[in-house]
Amino acid sequence: MASILTGDREYFKGIDQIKYEGPESDNPLAYRWYDENLVVAGKTLKDHFKFAVSYWHSFNGNGADPFGGATHNFAWDEKADAVERAKDKMDAAFEFFTKLGLPYYCFHDVDVVDYGNDINENDRRLQTLVDYAKEKQAASGIKLLWGTANLFSHKRYMNGAATNPDFHVLTHGAAQVKAALDATIALGGENYVFWGGREGYMSLLNTNMKREQEHLAKFLHASKDYARKNGFTGNFFLEPKPCEPTKHQYDYDAATCLAFLQKYDLMNDFKLNLEVNHATLAGHTFQHEMQVAADAGLLGSLDANRGDIQNGWDTDQFPNDITEVTEYMMVLLRAGGLQGGGINFDAKIRRNSTDMADLFYAHIGGADVFARSLIIADKILQKSDYTKIVTDRYSSFDGGKGKEFEEGKLTLEDLRAYAVENGEPATISGKQEYLENLINRYI
Ligand code: XLS
Ligand code: NI
Ligand code: NI
């Protein structure tokens, strides 16, 4: 009998519900650390992370690369009719989400159903799949973490969408965003993401940067106003990335996005969705990007993945480095968590990972490394002298003249007088190796 969860057929045959079995388990299809009910720092792991599966990498990404075609041949990709095919894919997706036991998913409009060039027909297709997703969400309890529109794949966006020099192209981007917002609202999506893959330029020789950025700001305001008018109360996220596919992208990194949001009066509605591999492409660590966002009140959501340290593009591999993720989790805990978002696995299995189970191993490993790292990070913050060392490092600003300086009470002459009076400062260690060892001690 057809079930709403699995449609007419089971796509991931032979794989049952993935469960938490604890660190001693040697079952590769079980969580060893991600116990969704475990309470750490006052919240369950489920609530800390709000893990999401990304539709595009898991159900559209077929292993093709610039040197060869698909290696992942999906059973849900067979029917000729776009809407029927999309429904099969959604059956497979919800079967996967349910078996995996992660609470959320994320999508771009064109991940859910193929788009053509007719706006009205595209809207109808998406609407049909939104109705279908609504039933599946209700039956499974799986929720939408965020929706977004793909404004970078179609050839009309080769010079950008909101920053395209041609107004006509911009309007097509707006049509897509409107439909994607409608879909997100209809599905109770908690957030909406703007990743501007082609919002930037290839050559300054043909570009008016100022005008393009002003257009982007106007576009974001119009989108936000539309969504608010239609009852959307969630967060909007910008997703920074420095380059790829466009040479110079306007949302380069967290600090660049912060300046943009401030300049164009978008701070009340927008936060950031940070991605590990985008941070490293920008020449930053991910923890740096997280801290910049946290300090500005913009730590919204995370796209979890990792790059390849030997090369320089967005390889979108699944996270697996405990030391690094522990450092992310230290920033997360100290920031008091994410604002509205969660942890979306914006990651894909490799071209030569061709078993159905590979997609499960990838997500299980990702969830486990975050869970294990959060537990470790919490211990470091609770039990070690880590916090004290960092706090004490600034103690000269806690009283006396240092405090007066922080309060804006000292002039440049006052500062000079202090230097003269107190002679040469003592040499104070930054203790970097001590702190690195401390992290390893808790791992
Ligand atoms: C691409 C981006 C993309 C966004 C959503 O590099 O990470 O997947 O997350 O458009
Ligand atoms: Ni991303
Ligand atoms: Ni990316």
Side-chain angles (χ1 to χ4, degrees), residues 148-213:
T148 187
N150 176 328
L151 306 184
F152 44 90
S153 293
H154 194 284
K155 73 180 166 73
R156 75 171 80 87
Y157 300 125
M158 66 181 184
N159 292 308
T163 63
N164 199 293
D166 180 1
F167 172 66
H168 189 175
V169 177
L170 181 150
T171 62
H172 276 259
Q176 259 185 267
V177 169
K178 179 187 172 295
L181 281 167
D182 289 341
T184 302
I185 295 168
L187 293 172
E190 296 180 16
N191 308 278
Y192 187 88
V193 164
F194 290 89
W195 170 60
R198 297 195 196 270
E199 308 297 21
Y201 68 91
M202 302 301 280
S203 168
L204 196 54
L205 292 174
N206 59 15
T207 301
N208 184 331
M209 228 198 313
K210 184 163 188 283
R211 229 171 151 183
E212 289 194 2
Q213 294 203 42

Side-chain angles (χ1 to χ4, degrees), residues 85-107:
R85 207 164 53 239
K87 285 185 175 172
D88 281 356
K89 180 163 60 179
M90 190 165 277
D91 290 341
F94 275 80
E95 182 190 329
F96 181 73
F97 306 150
T98 304
K99 285 185 168 175
L100 198 58
L102 297 184
Y104 287 88
Y105 70 112
C106 299
F107 64 73

Side-chain angles (χ1 to χ4, degrees), residues 56 108 146 148 152 193 195 239 241 273 275 278 303 314 346:
W56 54 104
H108 301 84
W146 49 261
T148 187
F152 44 90
V193 164
W195 170 60
E239 184 175 324
K241 187 174 182 181
N273 178 38
E275 180 166 320
H278 298 182
D303 271 5
D314 200 8
D346 196 350

Side-chain angles (χ1 to χ4, degrees), residues 8 11 22-23 81 110 116 172 192 197 200-201 222 282 300 312 325 333 343 356 361 390 407 426 437 439:
D8 292 309
Y11 289 94
D81 178 71
V110 302
H172 276 259
Y192 187 88
Y201 68 91
V325 182
L333 287 172
I343 293 181
M356 283 293 188
Y361 299 142
V390 179
E407 291 165 353
N437 293 355
I439 289 178

